[in-house]
Amino acid sequence: MVKAIVGANWGDEGKGKFTDMLAEDADIVIRFQGGANAGHTIVNDYGKFALHTMPSGVFHQNIMNVIGNGVAFDIEKFMKELEDVTSKGVPAPGIMVSDRVQVMMPYHVQFDTLEEARLAGKSFGSTKSGIAPFYSDKYAKIGWQINEFYQDDDVIREKIDRIADVKDVLLVNLYKTDPIDRAGLFEWIRTQRERIRPYIGDVSLCLDKAIKEDKTILLEGQLGTMKDPDHGIYPMVTSSSPLAAYGAIGAGIPPYEIKQIVVVSKAYSSAVGAGEFVSEIFGDEAAELRDHGGDGGEYGATTGRPRRVGWYDCVASKYGCRLQGCTDVALSVLDALGYLDEIPVCVGYEIDGEVTTDFPVTSRLAKAKPVLKVMPGWKCDVKGIRKFEELPMEAQNYVNLIEEQIGFPITMVSNGPKRSDIIYRTPRI
């Protein structure tokens, strides 16, 4: 059986914890898209980890962890994470990297940084991880699949020259900086190909065999629906699709094999970077929610920068779940809201005097004002509770309202940072 775990909203929904938990029953865990520009935070018996490239199954010794061909693969960050994980007592995980994965090159990070600086106040809020330049090159057909690193050296040098002839025009004339060090880039490729060589394999063939053997495969998505380049808040989006459907492409399996899609949605809203965010709150109210949220506050796992926060957005979440093809909703960090006397929930958008519960295109989203329904808070710590019926009635009502508004079944509720802090629930819809 193939399962996917993906985000409903702007990313940072708490997917790492649920992936780590669901991985207990998996044989293979796959990162199928995205790069090191977002992180999955996991708390387990080994400690607290922020994974940016590694699949979240690395803490389970019976699992093969796969980097799919849809990933923007940063070799140096991958190797650093692997060293960090094993240095903290985690046994060396089983890993396979697709022989078709494309590699994040040093100049991708350089171009990302230079362009954000050039745009200044009109930037896209990039993490400067090279993501947009990487995917631009991939679809312009001047990217580097990892297998190309193992060609004859003269073939590699020829491609370096061909790419650098184009890149240098921008580096020198637009960004007023030095051209690409072609000899240095060639040596970088020679070094990296040896470091990663032991992990390279034919992922699609491996997965085909696993499916025929009825293995359990878990597709791990990065970010969320709102950051999809086609269906999200364009142009303030990422450069690869975080939709479960893309998991088939990014892993190399038939789409009909994906039988369960767990969509994670945070019990309030948060976002890193620019873009429309209708339920956003500001000032002291936002600072208080930010400090109570997550595990140690709402700060980016990759950048450390404060996340924007707001009330739960039923309009965005309903849309996000629908685009993902949701079969199960996992509601995360319910425990973070225990300090509130009242909890607003965004149940609609007012646009040009009319109220809608359907998520609009970005140009109309910019005009939207949140329609809020205020729910009573439960004013207590709900950590450690294992049965939904044992939650305070106010907390139960809060979850039930969200489920009713989004129209998808909430089957799991997270009420703490640990792997065990999950309530399994029978949905009402």
Side-chain angles (χ1 to χ4, degrees):
M1 181 179 182
V2 181
K3 306 176 183 180
I5 184 159
V6 288
N9 305 110
W10 298 266
D12 302 308
E13 298 96 345
K15 295 183 292 296
K17 172 184 172 177
F18 285 99
T19 306
D20 185 41
M21 181 272 298
L22 291 172
E24 290 182 345
D25 300 319
D27 299 294
I28 299 172
V29 176
I30 307 169
R31 276 288 309 274
F32 65 84
Q33 49 83 224
N37 57 321
H40 288 173
T41 302
I42 294 174
V43 180
N44 57 30
D45 294 340
Y46 296 106
K48 181 178 178 180
F49 300 85
L51 301 181
H52 305 274
T53 303
M54 303 276 284
S56 296
V58 292
F59 304 103
H60 304 265
Q61 274 58 69
N62 59 327
I63 288 175
M64 175 58 72
N65 296 276
V66 173
I67 301 292
N69 56 272
V71 170
F73 186 50
D74 190 317
I75 297 174
E76 292 180 311
K77 289 182 179 178
F78 171 83
M79 297 302 298
K80 184 177 184 302
E81 279 187 29
L82 180 58
E83 180 181 343
D84 180 55
V85 165
T86 54
S87 71
K88 293 179 179 177
V90 179
I95 295 172
M96 179 182 290
V97 177
S98 173
D99 54 8
R100 296 178 183 271
V101 76
Q102 296 220 1
V103 179
M104 177 69 63
M105 304 298 287
Y107 52 79
H108 289 143
V109 178
Q110 181 186 15
F111 271 91
D112 200 1
T113 303
L114 290 169
E115 181 63 4
E116 284 290 291
R118 187 184 72 86
L119 292 172
K122 296 182 179 179
S123 72
F124 293 103
S126 168
T127 61
K128 304 181 181 67
S129 301
I131 303 300
F134 168 91
Y135 282 106
S136 295
D137 280 4
K138 177 175 180 176
Y139 294 111
K141 296 175 284 293
I142 55 172
W144 293 84
Q145 282 196 353
I146 188 67
N147 59 79
E148 293 181 275
F149 279 18
Y150 303 100
Q151 300 176 104
D152 291 341
D153 287 353
D154 59 339
V155 176
I156 294 173
R157 286 193 181 93
E158 186 277 329
K159 182 166 183 175
I160 289 173
D161 287 340
R162 178 160 44 89
I163 292 171
D165 286 345
V166 176
K167 301 292 184 185
D168 287 351
V169 174
L170 293 173
L171 288 170
V172 173
N173 297 293
L174 178 62
Y175 297 116
K176 310 301 182 185
T177 191
D178 296 332
I180 289 174
D181 176 0
R182 303 183 188 200
L185 183 59
F186 174 72
E187 290 305 318
W188 182 87
I189 290 173
R190 282 168 52 93
T191 299
Q192 300 309 320
R193 70 185 179 188
E194 296 311 314
R195 298 178 75 196
I196 203 65
R197 187 189 293 270
Y199 305 103
I200 303 298
D202 188 335
V203 164
S204 180
L205 185 62
C206 173
L207 296 181
D208 179 65
K209 183 174 183 288
I211 290 171
K212 290 174 179 175
E213 293 175 352
D214 202 27
K215 301 287 189 181
T216 298
I217 298 169
L218 185 60
L219 304 175
E220 178 182 9
Q222 182 202 59
L223 297 170
T225 307
M226 300 303 128
K227 292 297 184 177
D228 182 77
D230 291 294
H231 300 285
I233 52 171
Y234 188 87
M236 303 304 182
V237 294
T238 193
S239 301
S240 67
S241 176
L243 300 184
Y246 188 75
I249 299 169
I253 61 174
Y256 55 74
E257 295 291 354
I258 305 175
K259 306 298 186 186
Q260 183 182 19
I261 300 173
V262 177
V263 182
V264 184
S265 186
K266 194 175 280 181
Y268 52 93
S269 296
S270 71
V272 170
E276 303 303 332
F277 185 5
V278 176
S279 68
E280 185 173 10
I281 57 176
F282 303 92
D284 292 342
E285 188 177 41
E288 192 171 22
L289 178 57
R290 184 179 298 114
D291 288 341
H292 278 89
D295 178 37
E298 286 293 347
Y299 299 89
T302 299
T303 63
R305 64 189 178 189
R307 293 182 183 132
R308 301 160 66 193
V309 294
W311 306 125
Y312 190 87
D313 189 331
C314 295
V315 179
S317 297
K318 179 176 72 171
Y319 174 79
C321 289
R322 175 168 65 84
L323 267 290
Q324 292 286 10
C326 176
T327 63
D328 298 78
V329 177
L331 190 70
S332 66
V333 261
L334 183 69
D335 54 296
L337 302 178
Y339 74 97
L340 290 160
D341 294 311
E342 295 181 325
I343 309 174
V345 181
C346 177
V347 296
Y349 293 168
E350 181 184 338
I351 304 174
D352 295 333
E354 296 184 359
V355 175
T356 182
T357 59
D358 295 321
F359 194 77
V361 295
T362 308
S363 57
R364 286 180 56 76
L365 192 64
K367 303 177 182 180
K369 298 176 182 178
V371 177
L372 300 175
K373 179 180 178 65
V374 179
M375 299 290 288
W378 45 93
K379 293 296 290 181
C380 66
D381 187 358
V382 297
K383 290 187 183 74
I385 295 174
R386 292 292 174 266
K387 294 182 179 180
F388 186 74
E389 296 75 18
E390 294 177 2
L391 287 171
M393 187 53 66
E394 294 85 354
Q396 294 183 45
N397 291 339
Y398 182 78
V399 175
N400 289 335
L401 172 71
I402 290 174
E403 183 179 64
E404 175 187 318
Q405 291 288 322
I406 66 177
F408 292 90
I410 298 176
T411 61
M412 290 170 272
V413 178
S414 169
N415 61 332
K418 297 178 182 177
R419 182 190 295 174
S420 57
D421 291 330
I422 294 177
I423 297 170
Y424 296 91
R425 173 181 178 273
T426 301
R428 292 176 45 158
I429 63 171

